[in-house]
Amino acid sequence: MRTPLKNVRYLGSAKEGTDHFWTQRVTGAANTLLTAFAICLALSLVGADYATVKATLAKPLIALPLLLFVVSAAVHMRLGMQIIIEDYVHGEGAKIALVVANTFFAVAIAAAGVFSILKIAFGG
């Protein structure tokens, strides 16, 4: 129902729900495949020495899916935590602070993972 009060308060759809929904579903599907790849890779490297692991991770066909895994998992994590924060934190100031902290945390995790993989891949 539309009421004049709604217009006065400027409440209503933020027009972002569908994008958020699809991003979370697509990253979830990607994470399924990429997690399976990461687990198989980890299991194949059990017991290998440092040089073998480093040489394996330096291959582009290994490093690229690992980079995609880190970025996709960080985006998915951020979206999931944002939903939890928005649903269960009721103070507006705390909600904004937690959403910002969540975004910074996800970026930091993704950056650390990407940096680590690139450092190994390029032999740093």
Side-chain angles (χ1 to χ4, degrees), residues 24-40 68-69 72-73 76:
Q24 193 169 22
R25 293 327 182 260
V26 169
T27 57
N31 288 344
T32 302
L33 299 172
L34 294 169
T35 301
F37 171 79
I39 289 171
C40 290
L68 291 174
F69 172 68
S72 179
H76 190 75

Short mmCIF file of all heavy atoms in Angstrom, two decimals, residues 24-40 68-69 72-73 76:
data_model
loop_
_atom_site.label_atom_id
_atom_site.label_comp_id
_atom_site.label_asym_id
_atom_site.label_seq_id
_atom_site.Cartn_x
_atom_site.Cartn_y
_atom_site.Cartn_z
N GLN A 24 25.34 -13.19 -4.99
CA GLN A 24 25.56 -14.22 -3.98
C GLN A 24 25.35 -15.62 -4.57
O GLN A 24 26.13 -16.54 -4.27
CB GLN A 24 24.62 -14.01 -2.80
CG GLN A 24 25.01 -14.84 -1.61
CD GLN A 24 24.26 -14.45 -0.36
OE1 GLN A 24 23.19 -13.86 -0.43
NE2 GLN A 24 24.81 -14.81 0.78
N ARG A 25 24.38 -15.79 -5.42
CA ARG A 25 24.14 -17.11 -6.03
C ARG A 25 25.24 -17.50 -7.00
O ARG A 25 25.69 -18.65 -7.03
CB ARG A 25 22.78 -17.14 -6.74
CG ARG A 25 21.53 -17.02 -5.88
CD ARG A 25 21.69 -17.64 -4.53
NE ARG A 25 20.52 -17.59 -3.69
CZ ARG A 25 20.31 -16.71 -2.71
NH1 ARG A 25 21.16 -15.74 -2.49
NH2 ARG A 25 19.23 -16.78 -1.95
N VAL A 26 25.70 -16.55 -7.80
CA VAL A 26 26.76 -16.84 -8.78
C VAL A 26 28.07 -17.15 -8.06
O VAL A 26 28.77 -18.12 -8.42
CB VAL A 26 26.93 -15.67 -9.78
CG1 VAL A 26 28.18 -15.84 -10.62
CG2 VAL A 26 25.69 -15.58 -10.67
N THR A 27 28.42 -16.36 -7.04
CA THR A 27 29.65 -16.66 -6.31
C THR A 27 29.53 -17.98 -5.56
O THR A 27 30.51 -18.71 -5.43
CB THR A 27 30.03 -15.53 -5.33
OG1 THR A 27 28.95 -15.30 -4.43
CG2 THR A 27 30.39 -14.26 -6.07
N GLY A 28 28.34 -18.30 -5.09
CA GLY A 28 28.14 -19.60 -4.43
C GLY A 28 28.36 -20.76 -5.38
O GLY A 28 29.02 -21.75 -5.04
N ALA A 29 27.83 -20.64 -6.60
CA ALA A 29 28.04 -21.69 -7.60
C ALA A 29 29.51 -21.78 -8.00
O ALA A 29 30.07 -22.88 -8.11
CB ALA A 29 27.17 -21.41 -8.82
N ALA A 30 30.14 -20.63 -8.20
CA ALA A 30 31.57 -20.62 -8.54
C ALA A 30 32.39 -21.23 -7.42
O ALA A 30 33.34 -21.99 -7.66
CB ALA A 30 32.03 -19.20 -8.84
N ASN A 31 32.03 -20.90 -6.18
CA ASN A 31 32.78 -21.43 -5.04
C ASN A 31 32.67 -22.94 -4.94
O ASN A 31 33.61 -23.60 -4.48
CB ASN A 31 32.29 -20.80 -3.73
CG ASN A 31 32.72 -19.37 -3.60
OD1 ASN A 31 33.62 -18.91 -4.29
ND2 ASN A 31 32.09 -18.65 -2.70
N THR A 32 31.57 -23.50 -5.37
CA THR A 32 31.43 -24.96 -5.35
C THR A 32 32.50 -25.61 -6.22
O THR A 32 33.19 -26.53 -5.79
CB THR A 32 30.02 -25.37 -5.85
OG1 THR A 32 29.04 -24.74 -5.02
CG2 THR A 32 29.83 -26.86 -5.81
N LEU A 33 32.64 -25.10 -7.44
CA LEU A 33 33.64 -25.66 -8.36
C LEU A 33 35.06 -25.33 -7.92
O LEU A 33 35.94 -26.19 -7.93
CB LEU A 33 33.39 -25.14 -9.77
CG LEU A 33 32.05 -25.49 -10.39
CD1 LEU A 33 31.86 -24.75 -11.70
CD2 LEU A 33 31.95 -26.99 -10.58
N LEU A 34 35.27 -24.08 -7.51
CA LEU A 34 36.62 -23.66 -7.14
C LEU A 34 37.09 -24.31 -5.83
O LEU A 34 38.27 -24.61 -5.68
CB LEU A 34 36.68 -22.14 -7.05
CG LEU A 34 36.48 -21.41 -8.39
CD1 LEU A 34 36.29 -19.92 -8.17
CD2 LEU A 34 37.63 -21.69 -9.33
N THR A 35 36.17 -24.53 -4.91
CA THR A 35 36.53 -25.23 -3.67
C THR A 35 36.91 -26.67 -3.96
O THR A 35 37.88 -27.19 -3.38
CB THR A 35 35.38 -25.16 -2.65
OG1 THR A 35 35.10 -23.78 -2.37
CG2 THR A 35 35.73 -25.88 -1.36
N ALA A 36 36.17 -27.32 -4.85
CA ALA A 36 36.52 -28.69 -5.23
C ALA A 36 37.92 -28.71 -5.85
O ALA A 36 38.72 -29.61 -5.54
CB ALA A 36 35.49 -29.24 -6.21
N PHE A 37 38.21 -27.74 -6.69
CA PHE A 37 39.56 -27.64 -7.28
C PHE A 37 40.62 -27.46 -6.20
O PHE A 37 41.65 -28.14 -6.21
CB PHE A 37 39.62 -26.48 -8.28
CG PHE A 37 41.00 -26.17 -8.76
CD1 PHE A 37 41.59 -26.94 -9.74
CD2 PHE A 37 41.73 -25.12 -8.20
CE1 PHE A 37 42.88 -26.67 -10.18
CE2 PHE A 37 43.01 -24.84 -8.63
CZ PHE A 37 43.59 -25.62 -9.61
N ALA A 38 40.38 -26.53 -5.26
CA ALA A 38 41.36 -26.25 -4.20
C ALA A 38 41.58 -27.46 -3.30
O ALA A 38 42.71 -27.76 -2.91
CB ALA A 38 40.90 -25.05 -3.38
N ILE A 39 40.52 -28.19 -2.99
CA ILE A 39 40.65 -29.39 -2.16
C ILE A 39 41.43 -30.47 -2.89
O ILE A 39 42.34 -31.10 -2.31
CB ILE A 39 39.26 -29.90 -1.72
CG1 ILE A 39 38.65 -28.93 -0.70
CG2 ILE A 39 39.35 -31.31 -1.12
CD1 ILE A 39 37.21 -29.22 -0.35
N CYS A 40 41.11 -30.69 -4.16
CA CYS A 40 41.85 -31.69 -4.95
C CYS A 40 43.33 -31.30 -5.05
O CYS A 40 44.21 -32.17 -4.94
CB CYS A 40 41.25 -31.83 -6.34
SG CYS A 40 39.64 -32.62 -6.35
N LEU A 68 40.91 -16.89 -8.56
CA LEU A 68 39.45 -16.80 -8.67
C LEU A 68 38.77 -17.29 -7.40
O LEU A 68 37.78 -16.71 -6.95
CB LEU A 68 38.96 -17.61 -9.88
CG LEU A 68 39.34 -17.05 -11.24
CD1 LEU A 68 38.93 -18.03 -12.34
CD2 LEU A 68 38.69 -15.70 -11.47
N PHE A 69 39.30 -18.35 -6.82
CA PHE A 69 38.76 -18.90 -5.58
C PHE A 69 38.83 -17.87 -4.45
O PHE A 69 37.84 -17.65 -3.74
CB PHE A 69 39.50 -20.18 -5.21
CG PHE A 69 39.16 -20.72 -3.86
CD1 PHE A 69 37.90 -21.24 -3.60
CD2 PHE A 69 40.09 -20.72 -2.84
CE1 PHE A 69 37.59 -21.74 -2.35
CE2 PHE A 69 39.80 -21.22 -1.59
CZ PHE A 69 38.53 -21.74 -1.34
N SER A 72 36.39 -14.85 -5.29
CA SER A 72 35.00 -15.26 -5.22
C SER A 72 34.58 -15.57 -3.79
O SER A 72 33.49 -15.18 -3.36
CB SER A 72 34.77 -16.50 -6.11
OG SER A 72 33.43 -16.92 -6.03
N ALA A 73 35.43 -16.23 -3.04
CA ALA A 73 35.10 -16.54 -1.64
C ALA A 73 35.01 -15.27 -0.80
O ALA A 73 34.12 -15.15 0.05
CB ALA A 73 36.16 -17.49 -1.06
N HIS A 76 31.70 -13.52 -1.70
CA HIS A 76 30.60 -14.29 -1.14
C HIS A 76 30.53 -14.10 0.38
O HIS A 76 29.43 -13.93 0.94
CB HIS A 76 30.76 -15.77 -1.50
CG HIS A 76 29.58 -16.60 -1.18
ND1 HIS A 76 28.43 -16.58 -1.93
CD2 HIS A 76 29.36 -17.49 -0.18
CE1 HIS A 76 27.56 -17.42 -1.41
NE2 HIS A 76 28.10 -17.99 -0.34
#
